[in-house]
Amino acid sequence: MTSQVSSPAEQTDGTVLGGQRKPAGAKDVRRLDRVIIRFAGDSGDGMQLTGDRFTSETASFGNDLSTLPNFPAEIRAPAGTLPGVSSFQLHFADHDILTPGDAPNVLVAMNPAALKANIGDLPRGAEIIVNTDEFTKRAMQKVGYDSNPLEDGSLDGYSLHPVPLTTLTVEALKDFDLSRKEAERSKNMFALGLLSWMYHRPTEGTEKFLKSKFAKKPDIAAANIAAYRAGWNFGETTEDFAVSYEVAPAAAAFPPGVYRNISGNLALAYGLIAASRQADLPLFLGSYPITPASDILHELSRHKNFGVRTFQAEDEIAGIGAALGASFGGSLAVTTTSGPGVALKSETIGLAVSLELPLLIVDIQRGGPSTGLPTKTEQADLLQAMYGRNGEAPVPVVAPRTPADCFDAALEAARIALTYRTPVFLLSDGYLANGSEPWRIPDPEELPDLSVRFARGPNHTLDDGTEVFWPYQRDPHTLARPWAVPGTPGLEHRIGGIEKQDGTGNISYDPANHDFMVRTRQAKVDGVEVPDLEVDDADGDARVLVLGWGSTYGPITAAVRRIRGAGGAIAQAHLRHLNPFPRNLGEVLERYEKVVVPEMNLGQLATLIRAKYLVDAHSYNQVNGMPFKAEQLAKALKEAIDD
């Protein structure tokens, strides 16, 4: 979905408004400035699809939004159990927002497990819509309910809406030639229709989507559309929902442009395609499927028309080996993975360092160690990206901060790899990969020029006047070696992982040469040009700096806004480049009495900061597989200010 926005940007942080107005119809319409909704049910109940469709319609309406899909690692966990609960949270507003929200205002619970797994996150007064048909004695006992929570008073502090979603869906589809089980599968569309009525979401896009998704099964498409419409009509006619809500478009939150909703993995895939076009190089992806990175492989495989080649290898090692070979052959080469795959790829990454060839290693981080938490998020691969190879094997590291920023981060990683002839890590994570937000589609003229020059002939003259090609003859500004495409006459040279002689590229075991090559490779990475770190210090009188990287940007910024809104003074800076650090980072750190580093690990960036700058960086850490909450961070930062 795309929408046109033509108002200047505005930075605010809103709260729910209490104003009401009475439309021509019988029911009240209440105006809100933001809402947080969570859909929850079994992994087979279609909660991710329901959330995706509500998000798409919200994006087309023009709201700012942020999402948090949360699902089990198992393809189909046991039905009705707590480990099998899948949820999708959406925060949308009429102003600029940064996170999926701390606590839902509305919970749609498709069964007892969904209610029990999520009730602890709801504030008192929140609305709960439950599918009463699933609250059988057996289903409740399965998750530990001794009595029916819909009847025992335990939910008296909430606004409870009991709705027999399954029964109503089956009744709405009684004229279709479907079994009861087939009809029941459409209950998520009934729920989507009800929520779409409650929040005045557009409907045309969802109906068009259903017709397209089930184009080969028109009866199923028609049934889902009928269930969707029935949910809408139920909201319009039932006495239980006396109020609907409006959240106006966030026209003031966006710079002028054409926008679409985009997830982090989709933005990253588009960024890689854009980088290949700007470099005028074919894009090659060598990859092995792994959660949560597989979506990039799936997406890139759809774009052969842009010169993209995707290779699904038999394992992680083969994937990166093919990518490095493609780089040697003159392609913009990429390999995608998550933490366990990085461990397997480490030897080939070291080979790429030695060969000094451009290669993008995209690591969509997840909870570890080992298999860990495949569908949960974490930032614990930073030190692995920095040091997880044998020998001195420095690699630049870039990290996006929001789902939409994954597009720009991919372009930046490609710039560094192509300019300096080096492998580059791009560290995203599961929160960014699966989350989504509005993205302004850039004009092609705005994209950087990434064009490269391949070696075409001799570049060195011997003492006897003979002109030869030296594969390790370096650019004096970048220290990059020439990129020679195999098969170019006169550019034959040795390749492999044994140490090379400076200049000639011949195999060398000379101690002095090895020392020189190690230091030169390090100097090349240290010399990568990156922008200075920007500091947001509103009044310039803050004592405390909060320093973040990657996906902590949204929660940190939301927390900083809360502190400033309450009259507190705090500075904020966020790192995109983690190796090398921005050249002004040390000077920035020295300005403040205290530096707080929130991370979804046990303090990896803080460790690097302490070691390099001798700053007593204070870690604030979380490793529960979920992103930080803004209120949680605001409380910790307030304590740091008051200490």
Side-chain angles (χ1 to χ4, degrees):
M1 293 284 182
T2 60
S3 58
Q4 186 74 32
V5 180
S6 57
S7 299
E10 180 178 281
Q11 301 284 324
T12 60
D13 188 15
T15 55
V16 176
L17 302 178
Q20 300 182 31
R21 65 178 178 83
K22 185 84 167 180
K27 293 190 176 184
D28 286 335
V29 178
R30 183 172 301 162
R31 182 73 175 269
L32 307 176
D33 74 347
R34 64 186 177 101
V35 175
I36 303 168
I37 297 174
R38 184 181 296 176
F39 299 93
D42 267 334
S43 56
D45 283 339
M47 293 297 93
Q48 302 304 318
L49 175 62
T50 304
D52 282 341
R53 290 314 314 158
F54 196 94
T55 299
S56 293
E57 298 299 351
T58 296
S60 69
F61 188 70
N63 296 120
D64 195 10
L65 61 90
S66 180
T67 68
L68 178 62
N70 187 14
F71 39 85
E74 292 80 5
I75 293 174
R76 184 65 192 270
T81 64
L82 293 175
V85 173
S86 175
S87 68
F88 188 105
Q89 184 163 305
L90 166 68
H91 183 192
F92 62 102
D94 66 2
H95 59 276
D96 174 37
I97 58 174
L98 297 156
T99 73
D102 289 357
N105 307 116
V106 181
L107 172 66
V108 179
M110 303 297 280
N111 59 22
L115 177 65
K116 187 158 191 177
N118 292 280
I119 189 67
D121 293 336
L122 268 64
R124 291 290 173 172
E127 292 191 80
I128 303 176
I129 301 171
V130 294
N131 180 13
T132 56
D133 290 325
E134 295 296 321
F135 279 72
T136 63
K137 183 176 181 180
R138 183 173 181 273
M140 289 186 289
Q141 288 177 341
K142 188 181 292 187
V143 295
Y145 278 125
D146 296 325
S147 60
N148 191 335
L150 309 183
E151 300 171 352
D152 63 9
S154 60
L155 300 179
D156 287 349
Y158 305 94
S159 178
L160 182 65
H161 301 280
V163 180
L165 287 172
T166 306
T167 299
L168 291 171
T169 302
V170 172
E171 177 64 22
L173 303 183
K174 63 182 180 181
D175 294 332
F176 290 81
D177 186 21
L178 299 174
S179 68
R180 179 179 177 86
K181 186 175 182 179
E182 289 172 329
E184 288 178 0
R185 289 175 182 162
S186 296
K187 63 181 180 291
N188 64 323
M189 288 297 105
F190 189 100
L192 178 60
L194 173 58
L195 268 292
S196 297
W197 170 84
M198 284 182 65
Y199 292 98
H200 296 242
R201 299 296 91 184
T203 61
E204 295 82 1
T206 293
E207 294 194 7
K208 183 178 179 181
F209 166 82
L210 291 171
K211 290 177 182 177
S212 174
K213 181 177 177 62
F214 298 106
K216 296 182 180 180
K217 298 179 179 179
D219 292 344
I220 299 298
N224 276 283
I225 292 171
Y228 178 62
R229 291 175 177 174
W232 178 284
N233 293 332
F234 177 77
E236 183 71 26
T237 58
T238 184
E239 296 291 331
D240 193 36
F241 293 91
V243 178
S244 65
Y245 305 92
E246 283 186 350
V247 180
F254 304 114
V258 178
Y259 287 77
R260 61 155 294 164
N261 182 52
I262 200 164
S263 68
N265 273 354
L266 183 58
L268 209 158
Y270 286 176
L272 293 172
I273 295 172
S276 76
R277 302 294 284 186
Q278 293 303 106
D280 195 23
L281 297 174
L283 178 64
F284 180 90
L285 174 68
S287 185
Y288 180 76
I290 184 172
T291 302
S294 299
D295 288 341
I296 303 170
L297 170 62
H298 301 158
E299 182 60 33
L300 288 179
S301 68
R302 300 186 177 105
H303 297 286
K304 297 180 178 66
N305 56 314
F306 284 112
V308 179
R309 293 183 180 180
T310 52
F311 171 58
Q312 180 173 318
E314 65 269 28
D315 55 40
E316 296 281 5
I317 299 171
I320 190 173
L324 185 56
S327 176
F328 178 57
S331 293
L332 175 59
V334 185
T335 188
T336 53
T337 189
S338 191
V342 174
L344 292 168
K345 295 177 189 289
S346 62
E347 183 180 4
T348 309
I349 297 171
L351 177 59
V353 171
S354 177
L355 299 182
E356 300 189 44
L357 287 171
L359 175 67
L360 302 186
I361 305 110
V362 177
D363 178 5
I364 312 297
Q365 300 166 96
R366 70 189 205 187
S370 188
T371 307
L373 303 175
T375 60
K376 308 303 180 183
T377 195
E378 204 164 88
Q379 288 183 299
D381 294 350
L382 176 56
L383 294 183
Q384 180 178 219
M386 288 286 291
Y387 303 120
R389 294 163 295 283
N390 65 295
E392 296 287 346
V395 175
V397 180
V398 175
R401 63 186 188 179
T402 69
D405 188 48
C406 289
F407 178 87
D408 295 316
L411 284 163
E412 175 64 359
R415 176 191 72 85
I416 295 172
L418 294 172
T419 302
Y420 296 91
R421 308 286 197 270
T422 179
V424 176
F425 262 101
L426 195 157
L427 290 182
S428 180
D429 60 42
Y431 172 38
L432 295 183
N434 298 315
S436 61
E437 65 176 350
W439 171 58
R440 187 181 72 83
I441 302 172
D443 292 327
E445 293 76 17
E446 300 175 34
L447 301 179
D449 180 7
L450 301 180
S451 57
V452 298
R453 295 180 60 185
F454 290 109
R456 299 298 182 191
N459 60 1
H460 182 75
T461 303
L462 299 177
D463 293 340
D464 62 3
T466 305
E467 292 186 339
V468 296
F469 174 67
W470 275 15
Y472 283 84
Q473 182 84 288
R474 299 183 181 279
D475 182 297
H477 301 292
T478 64
L479 298 182
R481 78 175 187 90
W483 195 359
V485 176
T488 305
L491 303 190
E492 297 85 356
H493 60 281
R494 293 170 179 81
I495 203 78
I498 298 178
E499 185 63 279
K500 307 297 185 296
Q501 184 182 48
D502 177 47
T504 69
N506 295 333
I507 292 174
S508 173
Y509 297 100
D510 178 66
N513 178 78
H514 177 62
D515 182 275
F516 178 82
M517 294 295 278
V518 167
R519 294 180 186 276
T520 300
R521 288 189 289 262
Q522 182 65 58
K524 181 171 67 170
V525 173
D526 291 342
V528 171
E529 292 187 6
V530 303
D532 279 350
L533 181 65
E534 296 182 0
V535 182
D536 177 9
D537 191 350
D539 299 317
D541 58 354
R543 295 172 42 252
V544 175
L545 171 72
V546 53
L547 180 69
W549 70 278
S551 66
T552 57
Y553 173 78
I556 288 174
T557 306
V560 166
R561 289 182 183 180
R562 295 188 185 197
I563 289 173
R564 290 175 179 170
I570 190 167
Q572 177 188 0
H574 208 78
L575 290 167
R576 160 170 283 180
H577 297 90
L578 297 155
N579 192 32
F581 286 131
R583 286 163 176 72
N584 68 332
L585 177 55
E587 180 269 326
V588 167
L589 296 173
E590 290 176 357
R591 293 185 213 162
Y592 298 94
E593 297 177 18
K594 183 178 293 185
V595 178
V596 181
V597 185
E599 299 181 78
M600 292 187 293
N601 57 45
L602 295 183
Q604 297 187 16
L605 174 61
T607 297
L608 296 175
I609 294 295
R610 292 189 193 109
K612 186 173 180 63
Y613 299 103
L614 302 182
V615 170
D616 186 19
H618 298 260
S619 286
Y620 183 76
N621 309 117
Q622 174 176 295
V623 283
N624 61 7
M626 298 295 288
F628 284 112
K629 294 182 178 180
E631 184 60 34
Q632 163 196 4
L633 272 181
K635 181 179 178 181
L637 296 177
K638 182 66 167 57
E639 291 174 354
I641 293 172
D642 295 340
D643 186 9

